[in-house]
Amino acid sequence: INCFIITLSFGQEIGLKIGDIAPELAYDNPTGNELKLSELRGKLVLIDFWASWCGPCRRENPNLVDAYRKYTKAKFKNGKGFEIFSVSLDKTEDAWKKAITDDGLLWLSHVIDSEGDVSRMYQVRFIPTAFLIDGKGNIVAQGESLRGEGLQNTLRANLTK
């Protein structure tokens, strides 16, 4: 899978490295309305790749719910509030919607990537996988550091003092 890089007029790149602007995502939510990642600009956003059939993903969901509850209205160095943009790799909508309800995933930004387009674009090799972007859309963290207590540590480190 090739990584794509687009250089913007002011020299910043769209890509997958720390400091790059995260590629845009625009997909339908469970009610059929299109959600765009760019609509969450201004907030710290965790892009979380998961699936209902993934045991480690489901075990991670309580940590995400806890972080969401604690930080959704927090003020960060480069963002006001915390959101989760949840990207499911499920093939069927029923299992996806049931897992959202069963795990109490409170946030509203849920999309399904049943064809694998998003996961290919973000070069997701395993799940759960996550990227944290700041209020300007820049990737500030990714990978293992965003699982378990690591996510909350990263969020605390980005709080305004």
Side-chain angles (χ1 to χ4, degrees):
I1 298 174
N2 294 327
C3 179
F4 63 92
I5 295 178
I6 300 170
T7 303
L8 302 176
S9 59
F10 51 87
Q12 194 166 11
E13 295 180 345
I14 295 175
L16 300 173
K17 299 184 309 282
I18 302 295
D20 287 349
I21 294 177
E24 175 68 288
L25 301 175
Y27 290 88
D28 288 349
N29 69 4
T31 60
N33 295 318
E34 185 180 69
L35 294 178
K36 291 183 179 180
L37 180 62
S38 59
E39 292 171 350
L40 300 174
R41 284 272 167 94
K43 299 180 179 195
L44 249 63
V45 178
L46 182 75
I47 306 169
D48 177 50
F49 291 89
W50 72 293
S52 66
W53 46 262
C54 169
C57 301
R58 301 295 293 274
R59 288 190 295 276
E60 183 66 20
N61 280 343
N63 295 324
L64 297 178
V65 171
D66 186 48
Y68 183 79
R69 284 186 172 139
K70 284 182 184 173
Y71 296 101
T72 191
K73 296 184 182 195
K75 293 182 181 172
F76 297 96
K77 295 172 190 168
N78 272 327
K80 184 176 181 212
F82 172 63
E83 263 310 322
I84 298 175
F85 194 96
S86 179
V87 181
S88 170
L89 276 59
D90 279 285
K91 299 293 183 199
T92 65
E93 286 192 21
D94 291 342
W96 168 53
K97 291 176 182 179
K98 184 175 183 329
I100 291 168
T101 301
D102 289 352
D103 292 2
L105 307 183
L106 310 165
W107 49 95
L108 301 177
S109 299
H110 295 278
V111 299
I112 190 167
D113 181 27
S114 59
E115 300 298 318
D117 297 334
V118 178
S119 56
R120 278 190 296 280
M121 181 186 347
Y122 273 78
Q123 299 183 9
V124 173
R125 306 257 191 275
F126 58 88
I127 53 175
T129 290
F131 293 81
L132 184 66
I133 62 174
D134 67 13
K136 296 177 182 176
N138 300 315
I139 298 173
V140 295
Q142 59 182 297
E144 292 292 319
S145 66
L146 298 174
R147 292 177 63 187
E149 187 60 29
L151 172 60
Q152 298 214 22
N153 290 339
T154 302
L155 293 172
R156 276 192 295 276
N158 280 282
L159 289 169
T160 57
K161 302 212 187 263

